[in-house]
Amino acid sequence: MLPLFRCILYCSRTEHSGLLLAAYGDSIYTFSASAGKCLSIWLHAKGSFLWEETLGEQESTGAAQVDDGPGRPPKRRKLSANGDVSDSTSAEIVTDNDGIKARRAKPKTVSVPSIFKLAATSTGKYVVAVTDEDKCIRVLELLADGRLHQVSERHMPKRPCAVTFTTDESTILCADKFGDVYALPLLISSTQAKMMATEIPATAKNPNYEAKTTRFVPSASALTVHTKRNQQALKNQQNPGNKPTEKKSLDFDHELLLGHVSLLTDLVYVTVSNSILESPDERSYLLSSDRDEHIRVSRGLPQAHITEGFCLEHSEFVSKLCIPPWNTNLLISGGGNDFLLVWNWLESRVRQKVELQTLVAAFQRSHGENQPNSGQRLEFTTETDHLAVSGIWSLRTDDNADGKPQGEIIVTCERMPALVLYSCLGDGTVKHHQTLEVEGHIVDLAIFQEQMSIVYSMDMEDKSTPPTDNKCGSHPTIFGAYSYSRVECCWNKDSRLEEVVKNMNSWVTKQDWELLYPTIEHSILSESIYSIEKLRKRGQDDQ
């Protein structure tokens, strides 16, 4: 089994040339961005208890060996489907040609919290990890040696779907799929941390447990109610089991900023300079998108409840938003449509409609012509299928002749093994110039701004065709990379970065992932990853 790294993140640190974080299941792996060496591993286990181990010299032995005591391997407790901690196991009999050799415990297949979102401050000191099953936002401190130390954890009432920071990076903005956006302080006080720690036993099984309330006593009685219907209603009221209990309120500082009436998909916070606004002061804005084709433009904190406008030109769901940092009045949005839209979002006006479906179809045809009989052709989205944009990233490259900054826009689509690359010119025009084939379906992508490079993680188990045979000494590809050349103005493979990725892939293939994560099933994890297309509303022909 090959792992599926659901999210990756590049952190620029002064102590290193950079660190690359990759999340698989409930674990975060820290790699050196200059050598591809695995520096440490952070594992979430037993609710709020942490299990950390710096690999160091153990890397040369292959799989990471972490001891939980002298002479005894570690035991990890798994969360069941409803979030409860479970130690249940079943017996597995190991046999060979000579008969039964051993009997060992085999954990049952249950769900574990999966990290699906990583975000870091600009300094790389703090990392925010969001897990799905327990609806938890964890703040981790990234130490100089690459280890991660948990600072706090806060359980949200609904499952988060997007997270970002304010401009000063002192506040976390968290959006859930029910449309609510919350503001949380990045760091909590020591007093509040102690108060939250004392409540761990009460919330260990379910962070949103229902607090006990006093029994409800109706004011009516059998002497005042006579009709059969009212007597039955009174009987239901007197039954304590029919009275829903109240959920405990959040026990940490938070503020509800705004809400959508539809399923929220993405969140962007941006500060616009006074030169663009032609005003004496700069202003901050909060942009949010939802399933109902809306992009809402709200004021920044503390006036996020005030709506400045809407961007309403999409006819399908909007899944991703991207504001290039060098041109903050520009917005690129994508989702279920066959195109991208480039906005002047301050005026709620579309600047440009950028084709996407035709580019993918043309690349599919050329790919098929180049490999007509190989039998190893990856599956691309066909012209009759819908596209679902899974990611939009920006990378600044250089300045044009007029001194205006310009860069690259990288777009990926769900279940599509290709990178669609656009140039964002100094005047704000977005122009396609390259489409690159990759080895598998792209899951996530990290931007190396200083090196003008990207590293991406892929799902190699989801390919519809059998994998190609590895050459002697090669390893299965989990990570890939490209670099941008200012001279050639295009993306190419870089030998230095290829060596880094090769070391990462080599380390990954040496691990026994089925032994380390016996409860993770690829089909279940894949279903949660490929969920963007499910946002599409079904028409009458599909029902």
Side-chain angles (χ1 to χ4, degrees):
M1 180 187 74
L2 295 176
L4 199 162
F5 290 95
R6 192 169 182 178
C7 47
I8 59 175
L9 176 69
Y10 174 74
C11 295
S12 177
R13 295 298 301 267
T14 57
E15 302 87 350
H16 300 274
S17 58
L19 298 173
L20 185 66
L21 307 182
Y24 173 60
D26 59 350
S27 308
I28 302 177
Y29 295 82
T30 304
F31 294 90
S32 169
S34 60
K37 177 182 179 181
C38 185
L39 302 176
S40 66
I41 175 175
W42 178 88
L43 300 130
H44 162 271
K46 302 180 181 179
S48 62
F49 295 92
L50 303 180
W51 178 22
E52 297 178 354
E53 174 72 8
T54 302
L55 299 180
E57 297 179 355
Q58 294 183 5
E59 183 182 19
S60 60
T61 62
Q65 303 294 328
V66 183
D67 294 332
D68 196 29
R72 183 177 180 179
K75 180 180 180 181
R76 301 181 61 198
R77 300 169 67 189
K78 304 300 186 296
L79 292 179
S80 63
N82 58 4
D84 296 337
V85 179
S86 175
D87 289 324
S88 59
T89 58
S90 60
E92 178 187 17
I93 300 177
V94 182
T95 63
D96 61 5
N97 295 332
D98 297 330
I100 298 177
K101 298 292 294 182
R103 182 186 297 268
R104 66 188 181 192
K106 179 182 179 181
K108 291 182 179 179
T109 301
V110 293
S111 300
V112 297
S114 176
I115 299 173
F116 70 94
K117 185 68 177 179
L118 289 177
T121 58
S122 58
T123 60
K125 184 177 181 180
Y126 294 103
V127 177
V128 174
V130 185
T131 50
D132 50 9
E133 183 175 282
D134 55 359
K135 310 170 189 176
C136 185
I137 297 178
R138 291 177 172 84
V139 178
L140 310 171
E141 181 180 4
L142 184 57
L143 304 179
D145 56 2
R147 290 184 297 114
L148 289 166
H149 170 69
Q150 179 166 311
V151 177
S152 65
E153 65 175 31
R154 283 161 280 189
H155 296 273
M156 303 303 295
K158 302 296 181 182
R159 180 174 297 184
C161 63
V163 64
T164 188
F165 298 99
T166 54
T167 305
D168 59 5
E169 297 183 338
S170 63
T171 304
I172 303 172
L173 301 178
C174 170
D176 60 41
K177 290 192 174 182
F178 281 74
D180 294 330
V181 179
Y182 293 89
L184 316 172
L186 175 64
L187 302 177
I188 61 177
S189 63
S190 58
T191 303
Q192 188 176 9
K194 292 179 181 179
M195 294 177 59
M196 295 173 64
T198 58
E199 298 183 2
I200 289 179
T203 61
K205 292 186 176 182
N206 187 355
N208 295 317
Y209 77 100
E210 296 179 349
K212 295 182 179 179
T213 58
T214 58
R215 180 177 177 180
F216 172 76
V217 179
S219 58
S221 65
L223 299 177
T224 59
V225 175
H226 305 287
T227 64
K228 183 177 180 181
R229 178 178 297 179
N230 289 344
Q231 288 178 351
Q232 182 61 39
L234 177 62
K235 184 177 180 181
N236 294 337
Q237 291 179 357
Q238 292 174 340
N239 184 3
N242 294 335
K243 179 63 179 178
T245 55
E246 298 180 359
K247 287 189 176 182
K248 182 185 175 183
S249 60
L250 300 180
D251 56 356
F252 51 83
D253 293 337
H254 68 283
E255 180 184 359
L256 178 61
L257 300 180
L258 58 90
H260 283 238
V261 295
S262 179
L263 193 151
L264 201 147
T265 56
D266 203 7
L267 196 67
V268 175
Y269 195 86
V270 62
T271 298
V272 183
S273 63
N274 52 4
S275 60
I276 297 177
L277 296 172
E278 298 181 355
S279 65
D281 300 319
E282 62 182 16
R283 296 178 185 174
S284 296
Y285 296 89
L286 179 61
L287 282 71
S288 52
S289 60
D290 62 28
R291 186 188 182 190
D292 285 344
E293 308 97 34
H294 300 152
I295 301 175
R296 175 190 287 186
V297 180
S298 307
R299 291 186 184 180
L301 273 64
Q303 297 180 318
H305 59 282
I306 300 178
T307 301
E308 288 286 339
F310 287 90
C311 299
L312 304 175
E313 289 294 333
H314 282 278
S315 58
E316 292 287 351
F317 63 87
V318 184
S319 57
K320 291 299 176 181
L321 304 175
C322 178
I323 296 181
W326 65 86
N327 193 349
T328 53
N329 66 337
L330 205 66
L331 168 68
I332 298 98
S333 62
N337 288 115
D338 297 339
F339 51 83
L340 305 176
L341 290 180
V342 182
W343 301 83
N344 184 333
W345 59 270
L346 289 169
E347 302 176 1
S348 299
R349 176 175 57 87
V350 175
R351 294 175 51 118
Q352 184 183 359
K353 180 179 177 180
V354 182
E355 289 297 327
L356 182 61
Q357 175 76 18
T358 55
L359 299 175
V360 174
F363 186 60
Q364 178 186 6
R365 289 192 298 269
S366 63
H367 180 76
E369 293 173 359
N370 294 335
Q371 297 179 342
N373 299 317
S374 63
Q376 303 295 342
R377 188 163 69 93
L378 302 178
E379 177 155 347
F380 287 81
T381 305
T382 62
E383 296 183 56
T384 57
D385 291 338
H386 296 295
L387 286 180
V389 175
S390 59
I392 305 177
W393 297 267
S394 62
L395 184 147
R396 180 174 178 177
T397 54
D398 52 12
D399 297 339
N400 60 10
D402 298 331
K404 295 182 179 180
Q406 54 189 14
E408 292 287 301
I409 304 298
I410 304 115
V411 179
T412 60
C413 296
E414 195 171 76
R415 296 186 185 275
M416 189 183 77
L419 292 165
V420 185
L421 305 168
Y422 299 87
S423 294
C424 184
L425 306 180
D427 60 356
T429 304
V430 176
K431 182 180 179 181
H432 174 262
H433 71 96
Q434 203 171 0
T435 303
L436 299 175
E437 176 192 353
V438 297
E439 296 85 348
H441 295 160
I442 294 179
V443 179
D444 199 12
L445 184 146
I447 299 289
F448 290 29
Q449 180 59 60
E450 296 86 352
Q451 297 88 347
M452 288 195 296
S453 304
I454 58 173
V455 172
Y456 48 87
S457 62
M458 295 173 289
D459 179 10
M460 304 303 293
E461 300 284 347
D462 193 60
K463 292 165 58 176
S464 58
T465 55
T468 56
D469 295 333
N470 290 327
K471 297 179 181 179
C472 182
S474 64
H475 300 279
T477 303
I478 306 298
F479 299 100
Y482 276 99
S483 296
Y484 181 80
S485 172
R486 288 179 176 175
V487 178
E488 301 177 3
C489 296
C490 65
W491 293 84
N492 297 305
K493 292 289 186 178
D494 179 77
S495 58
R496 181 194 58 81
L497 193 58
E498 282 294 297
E499 187 66 24
V500 172
V501 172
K502 178 181 177 182
N503 293 336
M504 294 172 60
N505 289 325
S506 175
W507 185 88
V508 167
T509 55
K510 291 179 182 178
Q511 314 309 312
D512 190 343
W513 297 99
E514 293 184 357
L515 178 63
L516 294 174
Y517 301 93
T519 62
I520 294 182
E521 287 189 358
H522 184 276
S523 58
I524 299 177
L525 190 60
S526 177
E527 182 178 355
S528 62
I529 290 176
Y530 301 115
S531 59
I532 299 178
E533 178 60 34
K534 298 177 183 178
L535 296 173
R536 193 179 306 276
K537 298 177 181 178
R538 296 190 303 170
Q540 295 181 356
D541 297 337
D542 300 327
Q543 293 179 348

